Amino acid sequence: MRRFAVILAALAAFFSCTAKIPVSAGEEPSLPADSRFSLFGGRERILCRWQGLPEAAVSLRFTFPEGTAEIPVPGPDGEAFLSGRPEGENECSISLLTADGAIKGPALSAHVYGARYESTLQARELDSYTLAAGHFHGTLSRSIPAAMDGEEFRYDDADGKEQRVYFPASETEVSIAGIHGALLRRSVYIPSPETGDTFYSSETEILPGERIEPLPEQILPVVDGYRGIWFALGQVNTDYGDKYSGGLGTYTMKHIPMAVYSPEAEKTFFVYGGTPSEGQKYLQCMIGCYDHATGRLQRPRMVMDKGALGVKDPHDNPTVQLDKDGHVWVFVSGRGNKREGYRYRSVNPYDITAFEEVGHDIMAYPQVMYHPEKGFFLFFTRYDGTRQLFWKTSPDGVNWTAHRQLASIKEGTEKNSGHYQISNICGTKLCTAFNRHINGNVDTRTNIYFIQSEDWGETWTTVDGKPVTVPVTQRFNNALVRDYQTAGKNCYIKDLNFDADGNPVILYLTSDNHLTGPQGGIREWFTLHWNGTEWEQTKLTESTHCYDSGSLWIEGEEWTVLAPTDAGPQYWGAGGEVVRFRSKDRGKTWVRTQTLTHASTNNNTYVRRPFGAADGFYAFWADGNPDQFTPSNLYFCNREGTVFRMPYTMTTEWQNPIQIND
């Protein structure tokens, strides 16, 4: 090694470049003058390249502040990776190990990349694009961020196989054909070409961006304001008013869902029963839209004019869903078997201005579930003596299976059956909780039955997986979870949701009978939770009317009920003042935490939970005087409980709501 004694090797270290090692005489054994090192930082690793090392070289030692690492040297020229390096600047000194000892090398550094760097990456601007009928064409910004390598697009083809298409950063015009379903994209970054490690911006979905020009008859009429329907059933059987009446724009609880949030569009689409003006008892099936980005409401549109058919009854109110392509679907309820229900689909995704009718059929109380891989599942009611439960399915909303019966319970000499159900979906698990009407008499609704299907209706089971034969026809069967008939109680199911483990939770109310006023007894609210082993029942509160109706939100370990459980200005009428209850122990205990409305002019009714509820438009409901015909306003609140009134009159396409509480 003495032949190198007159050579001093000094390595100039820098990221992604090389330098010769200067030599001075009289130093300890050192590297040859033409030896070079380079360090390049990648994803949690460092690439080391070397040139011109002596034949005696065995390995290289890297000394970092926290310790050392070694890599073998198989030859005078080569490269190797040091893995497991922390993100940020990595400084080290290098020594060459030989059989005779160590030769000191240079101090070097390399910048290592990781999650922090990746979290800062932005997608390249997409200046313009069209996406329609499976074809995409876009123009990317000519401004290319540092280290960006290109754009990656991901989608499924006609056979359901995932495809990925890559466009280098030099290309600004991009086109893709054969897209089925969602088109996703992300920008690709390679900050160190030497390591070739790739980093990605967050993946985002490209929403359909080409408008289809609707036909004139598909453009929906605009109503210049949110005007709810007022209705009275006309069954005044006590001194305390109608069985139910008032502002019923968000009626019934068995119309599911009446609002759905789209994270892609950042909008909540909602439907309600409306009317042309405050002086009319005339049903219009309406759709509205709330923009979470701006906090504004779009002018509502009339999907179907039921009033033109002589209908003023909110039993014909609509429900709403979204499909995987962003099309908005509206299912308008029928009534009985003579008044059919209708299905509509928006002409353009995430747009409420134009719809096309896609079918009609017997369909009361439509409860529309959707899964992007399976399509639509419809729970509904037919009046085949008297209210019987059915379901049917469709892959596309247009072509449907024949209806199949879910429940028709009769006992003894009963000639008629009757049921109301509340359903929901958890992943692909379909669940329904229903009561029974003794001999079909709707005023004797009682009991709670629960069944579920995990194969899209092919088979049904109890909550713990025991088979259930459908239709359910016996009063006593393994689907029965609460026997209120024996106790002489009525039961009104309000909502069905799922805990963090996917177990069902039922929100409901009991009473002595269907009568209004004190003759109906104490109206008690309960939650019924399947904890994985048994059904746990907890009393929530009390209210003054059987048709006081609210909903249940479950977000992780925090459960919330919003319902008009405080008596309103019309004390014995349906609805009241809206109250929040919370549970932080999975429904074992409930605490009243907030009164959302107070000193209202009219009772608030039917507080509804949007599917996928997001802050901004967290719940919505209507108001009205149950004792006399009045205008009915519509309201919504955010997650914190701030309440807004929707404008009854609108002069612009998008308008701010009116805040009514602090």
Side-chain angles (χ1 to χ4, degrees), residues 31 43 50 59 197 224 253 304 363 489 505 521 547 558:
L31 295 173
R43 183 186 284 272
W50 61 87
S59 62
D197 291 336
D224 290 320
M253 300 307 290
M304 185 176 183
M363 179 181 65
K489 290 280 190 180
V505 187
Y547 290 83
E558 184 169 279

Side-chain angles (χ1 to χ4, degrees), residues 258-379:
M258 293 192 80
V260 59
Y261 171 68
S262 166
E264 295 82 6
E266 291 188 81
K267 291 180 172 65
T268 293
F269 300 93
F270 59 98
V271 291
Y272 62 96
T275 192
S277 65
E278 63 183 45
Q280 291 183 268
K281 297 179 181 179
Y282 183 107
L283 179 64
Q284 295 177 320
C285 295
M286 303 295 300
I287 186 165
C289 177
Y290 174 80
D291 187 336
H292 290 255
T294 64
R296 293 182 176 182
L297 291 157
Q298 189 173 6
R299 285 196 299 187
R301 266 68 176 177
M302 181 177 63
V303 180
M304 185 176 183
D305 188 351
K306 280 274 187 168
L309 304 176
V311 179
K312 59 181 179 181
D313 182 353
H315 284 95
D316 290 38
N317 279 351
T319 59
V320 66
Q321 259 296 0
L322 287 171
D323 68 20
K324 63 184 177 182
D325 298 319
H327 288 282
V328 186
W329 289 77
V330 175
F331 287 64
V332 174
S333 178
R335 178 68 166 158
N337 284 358
K338 294 182 179 179
R339 218 154 71 206
E340 289 188 322
Y342 290 79
R343 298 184 296 273
Y344 297 86
R345 178 181 58 196
S346 65
V347 174
N348 288 292
Y350 309 109
D351 178 69
I352 67 170
T353 62
F355 280 75
E356 58 180 335
E357 182 189 328
V358 294
H360 57 90
D361 200 354
I362 294 173
M363 179 181 65
Y365 305 110
Q367 301 180 19
V368 191
M369 308 300 140
Y370 183 79
H371 188 275
E373 295 176 3
K374 293 183 175 293
F376 292 88
F377 191 102
L378 177 66
F379 293 97

Side-chain angles (χ1 to χ4, degrees), residues 513-548:
N513 52 59
H514 72 286
L515 298 176
T516 55
Q519 292 175 273
I522 300 173
R523 285 80 175 182
E524 297 182 290
W525 289 74
F526 297 93
T527 52
L528 188 61
H529 173 216
W530 177 256
N531 64 12
T533 304
E534 61 181 355
W535 290 99
E536 289 184 340
Q537 177 179 291
T538 305
K539 183 174 177 178
L540 185 74
T541 188
E542 298 175 0
S543 64
T544 61
H545 199 283
C546 297
Y547 290 83
D548 296 336

Side-chain angles (χ1 to χ4, degrees), residues 65-199:
E66 75 279 7
T68 62
E70 290 188 15
I71 56 175
V73 178
D77 301 330
E79 64 181 28
F81 280 100
L82 290 172
S83 300
R85 300 307 307 159
E87 185 172 4
E89 203 67 26
N90 280 236
E91 297 180 349
C92 67
S93 60
I94 298 179
S95 298
L96 176 66
L97 302 183
T98 70
D100 298 327
I103 302 175
K104 184 178 180 181
L108 299 169
S109 69
H111 190 88
V112 175
Y113 299 85
R116 290 198 308 274
Y117 168 75
E118 195 162 45
S119 68
T120 67
L121 300 179
Q122 300 294 317
R124 185 176 177 183
E125 291 293 330
L126 189 58
D127 288 342
S128 62
Y129 72 90
T130 60
L131 174 57
H135 184 269
F136 169 78
H137 180 81
T139 302
L140 293 161
S141 170
R142 294 184 179 277
S143 176
I144 303 174
M148 179 176 284
D149 187 74
E151 294 292 307
E152 181 185 83
F153 294 82
R154 180 167 66 90
Y155 62 94
D156 288 345
D157 62 18
D159 297 324
K161 295 181 179 179
E162 183 179 272
Q163 301 293 331
R164 293 178 184 264
V165 180
Y166 194 78
F167 295 96
S170 58
E171 296 191 29
T172 57
E173 297 290 324
V174 294
S175 293
I176 304 172
I179 301 166
H180 286 254
L183 175 63
L184 305 171
R185 78 159 180 130
R186 57 184 180 177
S187 295
V188 181
Y189 288 76
I190 304 180
S192 175
E194 289 79 6
T195 67
D197 291 336
T198 54
F199 296 80

Side-chain angles (χ1 to χ4, degrees), residues 357-481:
E357 182 189 328
V358 294
H360 57 90
D361 200 354
I362 294 173
M363 179 181 65
Y365 305 110
Q367 301 180 19
V368 191
M369 308 300 140
Y370 183 79
H371 188 275
E373 295 176 3
K374 293 183 175 293
F376 292 88
F377 191 102
L378 177 66
F379 293 97
F380 67 104
T381 299
R382 290 173 61 99
Y383 284 66
D384 294 345
T386 301
R387 295 172 177 84
Q388 298 183 9
L389 304 181
F390 294 84
W391 87 92
K392 57 184 177 180
T393 67
S394 171
D396 55 11
V398 178
N399 302 292
W400 290 82
T401 63
H403 61 270
R404 298 176 64 183
Q405 191 172 54
L406 194 69
S408 179
I409 295 175
K410 300 176 186 177
E411 184 183 26
T413 60
E414 294 176 10
K415 295 182 178 180
N416 296 312
S417 63
H419 306 276
Y420 283 142
Q421 69 180 340
I422 300 292
S423 62
N424 204 345
I425 186 171
C426 182
T428 57
K429 181 173 68 176
L430 298 152
C431 299
T432 179
F434 56 93
N435 56 26
R436 73 166 299 236
H437 311 159
I438 301 172
N439 199 23
N441 182 351
V442 70
D443 290 332
T444 64
R445 65 192 74 178
T446 189
N447 291 355
I448 300 177
Y449 301 86
F450 177 89
I451 61 174
Q452 63 185 31
S453 175
E454 299 192 67
D455 54 12
W456 215 242
E458 290 301 314
T459 60
W460 295 87
T461 71
T462 60
V463 70
D464 55 352
K466 295 181 176 63
V468 173
T469 300
V470 294
V472 178
T473 59
Q474 302 298 313
R475 171 187 168 187
F476 294 104
N477 60 77
N478 60 353
L480 177 64
V481 298

